[in-house]
Structure formats: C-alpha cells, structure tokens
Amino acid sequence: MNTSYDVIVIGLGGMGSAAAYHLAARGRRVLGLERFGPAHDQGSSHGGSRIIRQAYFEDPAYVPLLLRGYELWDRLARDSGADVFVQTGGLMIGRPDSHTVAGSRRSAERWGLPYTMLDAAEIRRRFPTFTPEADEVALFEERAGFVRPEVTVAAHLRLAAAAGADLRFEEPAVEWDAPPGGGVRVTTPAGGYTAERLVICPGAWAPRLLADLGVPFTVERQVMYWFAPRGGIEPFEPQRHPIYIWEDAAGEQVYGFPAIDGPAGGVKTAFFRRGAECTPESIERRVTPAEAAVIARHLAPRLPDVPGRFLRAAACMYTNTPDEHFVIAQHPRHAQVSVACGFSGHGFKFVPVVGEILADLATTGRTGHPIALFDPRRSRTEPTRTR
C-alpha cells in the first residue's frame, strides 16, 4: 500500500493529542483527525480541571505509569509554557477500610510513596473547610493536585503541529480498515487516507469505532458542578484547600477541587460514577436544578460552605470497561493498529504517558511501560471494589 503518512491518529482529545505530539516529536509523519474543533467540550477532556495523584486506590499497578506521568507533565509544562499542573495536596477521605482510603494506602506502601494519615480531628484542624465524621480518616498525599484538560490538549496540539503533524479538525473518521497485507486506510467525509500505522483514541465513540475489539464498553453521562461558597473563596484557595475524594459509608464517592479560577470560577465538585448510560448523540447536556440540589445536600454535612450559590454545571462522558481498567494495546487482530480507550473516568492524569506508550506501540510494536493490565483480551469481570 502506498502511504502518505507514517501514522494516522483518530481522535485528538487528551490521549490522541498526546500521541500525535509524541509521534511527531520522533520524526514520524502524522495525520491527526478530530470530529470537533481543538480542545472541544463535546467528549471527556473538558471541565477546567482533573485530579492527579499517585497513591492510586484503583490498583497499585498504575503507580509506575503515574511516576513517569509526573515527569512528562513537568516536561509538557516546560516545553509548552502552559499552566497544565498545579500541586495542591490531596485528601482521600472515608472509613479506614473504605476502598478510597485503604486502596490509596496500599498503593502508597507498595511503592514507597510518602503520605500522612489524619484522623477526623486533624483533618478539621489542618483543613477547616472539611467536617468529617468522628470515625472518618484521610490519607493526605502532598504531591496530589489538579491538571487542566483543555489547556493540556491545546498544548499537545501546538507542540504536535510545531513538530510537523498535520492536524485536521471537524473531520471525523467514518471507518477504518487494516488489511492483512499491512498498512491502514481511514475514510472521512473529505476522502480517504493511508498510512503504515493507525492509533485510535475514540473516547465515547469507542463502541462504534472499536466494535470488533471484544470489549463491552458503556458510555455514561457525568455532571460537574460549580458553586460559589458561603463566605467567599479565600478558604478554598489552592494553598489552603486541597483536592479530595470522599467515600461515604455506602461506598459513594464525591470529589472536588479548590477555587482555581478566582471568585467567578467558584468551587468545582462532582459525584464519581453516578451517571446514566447514554451515547454521544443522546447525552442530555442540560443539567437541571434538581440535580444540583442532590449534590448540594450530599456536600452540606461534609463541606458546609461549598454549596452556597449554584453557579453552573456541565455534562461529560465516561467510557467504561466492565472492570473499570483501561484498554491500551495493539489491536488483537491488527498489529498495525494501536488503541487507547475505556478510561472509565480516571484516565486524564495519564495523558502524557499514554501518549508516550502509543508512540512506542506505533513505532516499534512494543513498550517498556507495564500495560498488561490493559489488554483488551483480559477477563471481562465486574470490578471488585466498594462503591
């Protein structure tokens, strides 16, 4: 097959923009295709902030990727000059045996990560915006903080273009083909493109573009909320109020951020995994006052000053796998195709290192990073965790 590109990247959100940059920086001829505009708000890589942390309650196997990811976040900030990562510290709050607390501690101890355990009284003393119950504790991780999704995507796109990548927006991939003889072909409304390799980062479009992968993806609508806290934002400024993930006795998690954009920006919070199944076409973008009232009631006994005046809300999408672990691999049926999807609501902090992994797979067919957990052929089991 005659090729005009070395690699085509489908999807230029968080993972795809990073892959395009890493590939172009290695001297590959890259075509990037995106169905919307750059750094858009129609998928999963938007909302102003995402939590970043290393004491990973989901599984200790993620920690080596996070350690490398932190190095690449620093590099991205330096190379782009963009404010992509802010360290605020982070509280993982709940009962001592909760998934959030016990899982974070397990990862920290497995990898020798520094952390501090705080009882309820110490949480209140050090962070007076929080009002935990007497039997709740927190793991405090100093290196936790937040990253900015739109700024990150835009930074990777700028660096990719500067390195020679051909980035095309408002041009969705309609279908792709990887014949047994090698090479790939991608069809868009504008025509067809060929290349030696293909990287697919489809986000919520995974069920359609990767239907032959054998993974039963589900897409869920998730809502982010912003409130103007009672008494003003000063107690919630990043140097005073850390990011947090708080698990209640029923296993439900809520998470949130400091006031990262001044009084007009407010304080952002959201439930983790409380969404309705949807598709990219059927998602309800409108958020009702009743939805905002539900999270305000949940927050009131925990962060009583946060649910002051409701400012706004935005919907995004989680693309989930059955076990809530990622899919990052060469396609089992097409060695010239690499995929990254199913990030299940906890993937954005990995964006730079996933870009590096995808560049490895697309150039050499292998990577030195530990990605066995993310093989699409793994057992399709339900997650073994408390939620």
Side-chain angles (χ1 to χ4, degrees):
M1 178 182 290
N2 294 324
T3 63
S4 53
Y5 296 96
D6 297 322
V7 186
I8 298 173
V9 178
I10 295 177
L12 294 175
M15 307 305 174
S17 63
Y21 161 62
H22 280 279
L23 285 161
R26 298 184 190 189
R28 297 311 193 267
R29 296 169 296 168
V30 177
L31 170 65
L33 298 171
E34 168 57 52
R35 68 176 54 243
F36 300 110
H40 61 81
D41 64 357
Q42 298 300 297
S44 303
S45 299
H46 65 100
S49 58
R50 293 289 186 275
I51 286 175
I52 185 167
R53 52 195 164 90
Q54 293 182 346
Y56 216 61
F57 59 75
E58 286 83 350
D59 196 303
Y62 286 86
V63 174
L65 297 181
L66 287 162
L67 296 176
R68 175 57 176 163
Y70 267 62
E71 295 174 351
L72 292 174
W73 281 109
D74 287 342
R75 182 188 298 178
L76 177 62
R78 183 181 65 249
D79 291 349
S80 68
D83 180 21
V84 293
F85 170 40
V86 177
Q87 182 175 317
T88 63
L91 290 172
M92 305 297 113
I93 309 174
R95 271 67 179 179
D97 61 350
S98 66
H99 182 61
T100 302
V101 175
S104 298
R105 191 169 189 174
R106 182 168 56 251
S107 282
E109 292 178 350
R110 167 67 178 82
W111 293 101
L113 304 174
Y115 69 93
T116 304
M117 294 303 302
L118 308 176
D119 63 17
E122 187 67 5
I123 297 169
R124 289 170 179 260
R125 187 188 70 80
R126 291 184 58 176
F127 306 105
T129 48
F130 296 86
T131 56
E133 296 183 11
D135 62 345
E136 291 182 312
V137 300
L139 181 145
F140 177 70
E141 180 186 347
E142 187 174 352
R143 292 219 65 197
F146 64 89
V147 293
R148 293 183 176 271
E150 294 94 337
V151 175
T152 297
V153 172
H156 273 134
L157 293 175
R158 287 196 306 271
L159 291 172
D166 180 3
L167 307 178
R168 304 194 181 189
F169 300 97
E170 309 292 343
E171 189 173 344
V174 177
E175 60 182 4
W176 61 272
D177 182 46
V184 297
R185 180 176 178 84
V186 177
T187 303
T188 77
Y193 304 98
T194 59
E196 295 176 5
R197 301 289 185 117
L198 176 62
V199 172
I200 305 178
C201 302
W205 288 262
R208 181 185 313 160
L209 285 173
L210 292 172
D212 66 340
L213 198 59
V215 179
F217 298 108
T218 57
V219 178
E220 290 184 356
R221 172 185 180 265
Q222 303 290 338
V223 180
M224 304 168 282
Y225 304 87
W226 287 261
F227 291 89
R230 297 183 184 93
I233 67 162
E234 184 176 356
F236 295 91
E237 291 174 344
Q239 66 271 28
R240 295 180 174 88
H241 181 81
I243 63 92
Y244 64 90
I245 301 175
W246 199 322
E247 181 177 334
D248 67 15
E252 185 162 56
Q253 290 167 312
V254 66
Y255 66 92
F257 301 82
I260 66 175
D261 293 314
V267 175
K268 177 184 168 185
T269 186
F271 286 114
F272 188 52
R273 307 196 185 287
R274 194 172 174 164
E277 192 166 332
C278 68
T279 70
E281 294 76 28
S282 69
I283 182 174
E284 175 57 72
R285 298 284 178 181
R286 185 178 67 93
V287 179
T288 67
E291 290 179 281
V294 169
I295 196 165
R297 286 194 298 270
H298 187 88
L299 291 171
R302 297 170 174 86
L303 294 107
D305 289 334
V306 168
R309 179 168 54 88
F310 174 61
L311 295 176
R312 66 189 185 281
C316 70
M317 291 177 283
Y318 286 3
T319 307
N320 301 315
T321 63
D323 61 8
E324 295 171 8
H325 293 310
F326 309 157
V327 173
I328 309 172
Q330 284 186 300
H331 195 294
R333 295 171 55 191
H334 310 289
Q336 66 270 51
V337 179
S338 302
V339 299
C341 54
F343 288 95
S344 303
H346 62 111
F348 198 89
K349 61 185 72 67
F350 296 88
V351 156
V353 70
V354 170
E356 185 173 68
I357 291 167
L358 291 169
D360 291 343
L361 294 176
T363 54
T364 69
R366 59 186 182 277
T367 182
H369 291 294
I371 61 170
L373 178 63
F374 312 130
D375 192 317
R377 295 165 293 188
R378 66 185 183 266
S379 175
R380 315 293 199 251
T381 58
E382 290 299 317
T384 56
R385 53 170 176 72
T386 302
R387 285 279 190 264

